[in-house]
Amino acid sequence: MTLEFEKLTDSLEKMAHSAARRQQESDALLAAALTQLRRYAVSWERLERCLERAVAETNEKFFRAARPIAATEPLDQGIPAPDCPPEALLIASDGSQIMPDRHGEFLYYLINVGLIIYEHGYGRSPQTITYPTLGFPKPAPTTETEAVDEDAFVANSGAISVRRDMAEIGALADTVWEWRRGIQPLLAILDQRLLYWPIGSSGGADSQEAIQAWLAAMKKMQDAGCLLAGYIDRPGKSSVMTLLATLQIEESGFDLASLTEQRDWSGPNDADLYGRILQPGERSPVFIDISHHNRRFAEQDPALEVCFFYLNPGKGIARVDIPRWVAEQPAAVATTHGLLYDQCQILGDYPYVLTRADEIAVVGRREQEELEHRIALRMQDYGLAGSITGKQQAKNFARSDKTRHE
Amino acid sequence: MAPTSDIEIGRVLRASTTGFAIGCRVGQLSTPAFGSLVKAQPVDSRETIYGLIYNMNIDDDQLIRRLVMAESPRPEAINDQRANRMLPIEMSVLAVGYRRNGQLYQGLPPRPPLNLDPVFLCQDREEVTGFTGKLGYLRLLLRGGDRLPTDQLLVAHIRHVYQQRGHDAVWANRVVQELVELLRSNYDLLVPTLEALSDALPELTVET
């Protein structure tokens, strides 16, 4: 044991004290926000007017808010889960990756996508499929986009994450397309936001390419006639909180900059707000995401604009992203809501199909060791011997008698 | 070679001289039962090892625990767990004999089976009759110690074999006589065993 806990005693005390103070501040802000929400729950004209002014007068790049999609659902009301359709097809995907390890025996990365096809109401065992992809440095010259330089290959982890995201939605869209003439309704589910923006990539042409691929996959699912949802557990978005903040924009002395500082706000967020309102199974009204990212989605195709609602899945609050082609049809929203809540009830608070897609996708430590053993065997056929670095060797020795829990 | 009537019920997970554990899928669970005679059948020239199933263990994990807590688990989820997820059902087997060069022996095998050797339920009447014709293997069962539910295992095994041998009352009575002989100084085990046997095979006149 090397962690000397007694040296952290003071820090632990300060940490708890700080958390308690932040909680007090957050509770006060949340109470104020709830009052606002109830007061203006159906003030559609004022909400729209203030929001329009905020959009016009703030820096679009930093402004994130929410607009109610219809003036029919009061903002402070939970909408109970409707009856679930007796039959439906649910397809969910998730992915995992093994990043390149500079200290490992051979340089490679692995992306593994897990996909589950679940025939709701039929009692049959679901189908599970995996799509593993192995990446490795290519010899020069190459026409591949793969990095030739080994340092660059190792440093490419952001791009690998983006490839994993593309593989997840690509596999989902392809499978939905194959099953489009089967059981209806068909709900495709991703374990992440629909308003995709590559994180960790260079932000250049690769990012644009990724966004286009993402939008193309969404479009393919729309063409397949399916419903689509991105499920986000414990969301951190504060778009509705910002919407409420805009209500003060007509007051003299209002600081416009405060609307764009929300993104750094560590106070209560939308989930905290709707956590006080929604009972198990209930959802919030549907909102359109107001952001420059979503504007780009809408410019590409209005049907791909991302909307969302909050859901109490039984414990905590989740956010469900849905495309506009689903959001503007009340029956489609109801079906999505009902099926997702039904899925959450299987395990208590999280969709069963996403739990299983994640389980299928995850590559455990033993599987990784087996893969590396097989890589080493194939390398031997070409007279290639790998070696781990001294650093990795020392780590292996030091950790050899410890159990890793997966 | 296993007779064609034998049913594969799983493969060896781990083994020792005194017994082995079998891993099987849910779909393979319908035929083997507590007390059944099984055999690990190597594909090469090693010995076929006979044993009795004395325990079946079904493990859980966190996902199963959460599903159990659900008010009404969906049939899709139950079937998913049983058909797709890799949670083997484990059966423990007490080694009681082996076959080498076509010759049957009762007693511990010279070496255990290896991992992944297929295991079959002994269904062939001739084979079951041949192996159980001598009763020396019952001593191994009685010496199994606390890990075995000895009286219940004896009763379950005798009932299975009695049926497989075509309701062979003569054989069953020989077994009872053998048990009386072997357990004459252990009434704590003999009496409940004979009582349970009378309940399990009421058509049999247990002559002690």
Side-chain angles (χ1 to χ4, degrees):
Chain A
M1 192 185 80
T2 50
L3 185 56
E4 297 179 74
F5 292 102
E6 67 277 11
K7 292 183 178 175
L8 294 173
T9 306
D10 285 349
S11 299
L12 291 174
E13 171 60 28
K14 286 175 186 166
M15 183 179 171
H17 181 70
S18 169
R21 283 199 58 185
R22 285 175 54 214
Q23 183 66 50
Q24 281 179 348
E25 292 166 8
S26 181
D27 286 348
L29 290 168
L30 190 56
L34 272 167
T35 303
Q36 285 279 86
L37 188 73
R38 292 195 167 118
R39 186 173 172 193
Y40 297 105
V42 291
S43 302
W44 309 116
E45 281 181 25
R46 177 162 182 173
L47 283 163
E48 183 59 25
R49 190 174 69 242
C50 293
L51 186 60
E52 278 302 303
R53 188 170 158 189
V55 168
E57 296 179 11
T58 55
N59 184 341
E60 187 198 22
K61 195 173 176 186
F62 300 114
F63 184 68
R64 311 266 191 281
R67 169 182 281 131
I69 195 167
T72 51
E73 297 174 336
L75 301 188
D76 63 343
Q77 300 293 312
I79 296 145
D83 288 339
C84 195
E87 294 170 359
L89 185 67
L90 291 93
I91 304 178
S93 71
D94 200 3
S96 75
Q97 72 283 313
I98 300 173
M99 289 294 185
D101 181 3
R102 183 190 299 281
H103 301 288
E105 205 171 355
F106 295 101
L107 270 184
Y108 74 94
Y109 70 82
L110 180 83
I111 291 170
N112 194 39
V113 173
L115 197 134
I116 182 166
I117 302 165
Y118 182 104
E119 295 167 293
H120 165 86
Y122 285 78
R124 292 195 281 258
S125 174
Q127 294 182 42
T128 56
I129 309 166
T130 60
Y131 297 99
T133 308
L134 190 68
F136 44 86
K138 300 281 186 353
T142 177
T143 54
E144 302 283 337
T145 54
E146 205 77 69
V148 175
D149 178 70
E150 291 193 352
D151 286 339
F153 186 85
V154 173
N156 225 4
S157 59
I160 292 168
S161 295
V162 172
R163 274 178 216 165
R164 187 197 74 170
D165 293 336
M166 294 305 114
E168 280 178 28
I169 196 168
L172 186 65
D174 289 347
T175 310
V176 161
W177 187 257
E178 281 174 34
W179 287 75
R180 69 190 184 282
R181 296 199 175 91
I183 300 163
Q184 297 294 329
L186 195 170
L187 174 61
I189 312 172
L190 276 171
D191 187 22
Q192 63 163 304
R193 67 214 157 109
L194 287 187
L195 188 53
Y196 184 73
W197 209 256
I199 295 171
S201 70
S202 60
D206 286 358
S207 298
Q208 300 312 312
E209 205 175 295
I211 293 164
Q212 287 307 312
W214 185 272
L215 288 165
M218 285 179 69
K219 182 68 183 162
K220 188 170 184 174
M221 287 189 265
Q222 185 201 1
D223 292 345
C226 80
L227 309 172
L228 173 62
Y231 191 92
I232 301 98
D233 196 21
R234 200 178 282 191
K237 214 175 176 107
S238 299
S239 302
V240 179
M241 294 295 282
T242 305
L243 169 68
L244 296 176
T246 64
L247 290 167
Q248 299 165 43
I249 203 167
E250 293 173 336
E251 293 173 11
S252 62
F254 180 74
D255 179 14
L256 269 177
S258 66
L259 294 175
T260 52
E261 286 164 1
Q262 302 289 333
R263 61 203 299 264
D264 299 323
W265 189 9
S266 59
N269 58 28
D270 294 356
D272 297 318
L273 186 69
Y274 277 105
R276 298 285 183 94
I277 293 170
L278 303 179
Q279 298 302 307
E282 289 183 346
R283 70 163 173 85
S284 72
V286 177
F287 297 95
I288 303 167
D289 181 281
I290 303 296
S291 64
H292 75 289
H293 293 330
N294 206 25
R295 187 171 56 75
R296 285 194 49 189
F297 271 48
E299 283 170 0
Q300 177 93 8
D301 184 336
L304 304 184
E305 188 174 30
V306 175
C307 306
F308 63 91
F309 59 80
Y310 291 99
L311 171 72
N312 181 336
K315 196 169 69 180
I317 293 291
R319 192 181 85 230
V320 178
D321 283 358
I322 48 176
R324 183 134 192 168
W325 88 74
V326 175
E328 60 190 10
Q329 298 178 58
V333 173
T335 301
T336 305
H337 179 191
L339 285 170
L340 279 175
Y341 183 55
D342 180 73
Q343 280 286 306
C344 291
Q345 285 181 295
I346 297 175
L347 290 175
D349 57 3
Y350 190 73
Y352 179 78
V353 286
L354 286 181
T355 304
R356 290 285 288 120
D358 169 76
E359 185 182 36
I360 299 160
V362 166
V363 179
R365 185 157 183 81
R366 285 186 188 162
E367 288 170 313
Q368 183 177 349
E369 286 169 359
E370 174 65 21
L371 172 65
E372 290 174 358
H373 174 65
R374 289 178 187 228
I375 290 172
L377 286 177
R378 297 302 299 162
M379 291 292 182
Q380 279 175 17
D381 293 345
Y382 290 87
L384 299 170
S387 63
I388 59 175
T389 63
K391 180 179 175 179
Q392 188 60 48
Q393 207 164 29
K395 279 185 182 176
N396 291 348
F397 288 146
R399 297 172 182 176
S400 60
D401 62 344
K402 294 183 180 174
T403 304
R404 183 188 173 99
H405 298 279
E406 292 176 338
Chain B
M1 284 287 287
T4 50
S5 60
D6 289 342
I7 299 169
E8 184 176 325
I9 56 168
R11 288 180 181 269
V12 174
L13 280 172
R14 57 185 175 276
S16 69
T17 303
T18 56
F20 51 92
I22 312 167
C24 83
R25 300 185 301 273
V26 171
Q28 293 174 301
L29 189 61
S30 55
T31 46
F34 175 64
S36 296
L37 182 68
V38 301
K39 60 183 176 185
Q41 179 80 65
V43 290
D44 53 26
S45 59
R46 286 176 287 122
E47 298 85 4
T48 297
I49 296 169
Y50 290 88
L52 304 182
I53 296 173
Y54 69 86
N55 191 32
M56 293 185 178
N57 192 51
I58 298 169
D59 270 334
D60 65 350
D61 65 4
Q62 287 190 10
L63 191 51
I64 296 280
R65 276 182 223 139
R66 292 193 68 176
L67 281 168
V68 163
M69 296 302 288
E71 279 182 22
S72 52
R74 309 288 189 278
E76 292 89 348
I78 292 171
N79 288 328
D80 185 33
Q81 299 299 313
R82 292 179 177 172
N84 294 329
R85 294 191 75 228
M86 302 297 176
L87 286 178
I89 295 160
E90 192 173 317
M91 290 183 258
S92 301
V93 175
L94 175 76
V96 292
Y98 58 99
R99 180 194 292 274
R100 184 167 59 195
N101 299 327
Q103 184 71 38
L104 278 172
Y105 299 89
Q106 294 193 344
L108 294 179
R111 56 194 69 83
L114 297 179
N115 308 99
L116 301 179
D117 274 345
V119 180
F120 295 88
L121 185 66
C122 293
Q123 296 270 79
D124 183 67
R125 184 170 168 178
E126 190 179 334
E127 184 177 29
V128 172
T129 304
F131 187 84
T132 57
K134 291 182 180 174
L135 302 176
Y137 72 99
L138 295 176
R139 290 173 189 271
L140 285 172
L141 198 158
L142 294 175
R143 288 176 192 157
D146 292 342
R147 67 179 169 144
L148 302 184
T150 307
D151 54 342
Q152 292 301 314
L153 178 59
L154 275 167
V155 172
H157 172 65
I158 293 166
R159 190 177 60 224
H160 279 304
V161 175
Y162 170 73
Q163 288 166 352
Q164 284 179 298
R165 292 178 67 111
H167 297 85
D168 185 348
V170 175
W171 176 83
N173 276 311
R174 271 181 56 218
V175 171
V176 170
Q177 295 306 322
E178 182 77 5
L179 289 177
V180 169
E181 181 66 24
L182 292 171
L183 295 174
R184 63 186 168 196
S185 59
N186 187 355
Y187 270 57
D188 288 348
L189 180 57
L190 178 62
V191 172
T193 302
L194 294 181
E195 284 175 355
L197 200 54
S198 290
D199 290 342
L201 298 173
E203 69 271 35
L204 194 69
T205 307
V206 177
E207 299 166 0
T208 58

